[in-house]
C-alpha cells in the first residue's frame, strides 16, 4: 500500500519528521522496536517489527540529498521571496 506522506510530498523531511521517527518512537515507548524503511521510488514503506532502527545518518536505506520530485525546497524559496500564494510544504 502506498504511503500518503510520500505520495503527497515526495519529501524525505516530511517522511522522517511526520511518520518514520514518530512511529519508531511510539513503538519504542510501548516496548517494541520498529524500523520504518521508506521506498521513495515506489512510495511504499516497510515496517519491520522487532528490528532496531539505526540513526538516520547511519542508515544505508536513507537517501542523501533531496529525492527526485520533492518540491519543498522550491516552495521554501518562494516563501522567502515573499510569495503569499504558496502553500507551505510542511502544512
Amino acid at each position: 500500500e502506498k504511503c500518503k506522506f510520500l505520495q503527497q510530498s515526495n519529501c524525505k523531511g516530511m517522511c522522517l519528521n511526520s511518520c518514520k521517527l514518530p512511529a519508531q518512537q511510539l513503538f519504542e515507548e510501548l516496548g517494541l522496536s520498529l524500523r520504518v524503511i521508506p521506498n521513495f521510488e515506489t512510495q511504499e514503506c516497510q515496517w519491520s517489527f522487532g528490528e532496531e532502527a539505526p540513526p538516520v545518518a547511519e542508515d544505508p536505506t536513507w537517501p542523501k540529498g533531496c529525492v527526485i520530485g520533492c518540491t519543498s525546497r522550491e516552495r521554501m524559496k518562494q516563501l522567502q521571496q515573499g510569495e503569499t500564494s504558496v502553500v507551505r510544504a510542511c502544512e
Side-chain angles (χ1 to χ4, degrees), residues 8-81:
Q8 295 297 316
S9 70
N10 205 28
C11 176
K12 71 178 193 178
M14 291 251 331
C15 169
L16 180 69
N17 296 304
S18 298
C19 187
K20 179 178 169 62
L21 291 181
Q24 291 175 170
Q25 182 179 2
L26 172 67
F27 281 93
E28 182 179 316
E29 290 171 2
L30 296 173
L32 179 62
S33 56
L34 168 68
R35 182 177 183 191
V36 177
I37 305 169
N39 182 324
F40 290 93
E41 290 180 21
T42 64
Q43 296 179 329
E44 298 171 327
C45 286
Q46 176 182 333
W47 287 39
S48 299
F49 291 94
E51 186 177 333
E52 292 291 327
V56 176
E58 299 172 14
D59 188 344
T61 67
W62 195 251
K64 307 292 184 227
C66 283
V67 295
I68 295 171
C70 177
T71 60
S72 295
R73 279 189 193 255
E74 186 59 36
R75 288 184 181 165
M76 291 306 293
K77 284 180 190 176
Q78 291 171 341
L79 284 170
Q80 290 173 347
Q81 294 170 355

